Amino acid sequence: EIYADLTQSKTESEMYYTRVKVTVVDQNGDFVRGVELKLQKNNTFTAISKNDGVATFPMILPEGYKLSVTRCPMGYEYVGPPYIHLKKTDSEYLLKITKK
């Protein structure tokens, strides 16, 4: 049997990059749209959660990052620590915010 080598579709530099997916939910487990997040290390990346609660940071180096909430939609608030430390192996994270 022959299997496709999926790595050939990426350029060599792209193979070093990863994607971090953050899913935002409220205390009821409902997805929250419109939460602005910031991911920081040497560079700063921003993303906003969509209808499915997911904010994606594509094409970043697999390093440790600080995740922070920079803006919540009206009626919601984030009451956690100022920064969440993501390890370089974290590619998905579940973030909980509070519906007022």
Side-chain angles (χ1 to χ4, degrees), residues 34-46:
V35 177
E36 186 179 270
L37 303 169
K38 183 166 58 173
L39 206 57
Q40 284 180 285
K41 174 100 182 197
N42 298 327
N43 294 316
T44 299
F45 305 94
T46 57

Side-chain angles (χ1 to χ4, degrees), residues 71-85:
R71 191 178 64 210
C72 287
M74 195 180 304
Y76 291 90
E77 64 182 338
Y78 174 70
V79 293
Y83 293 103
I84 298 151
H85 294 278

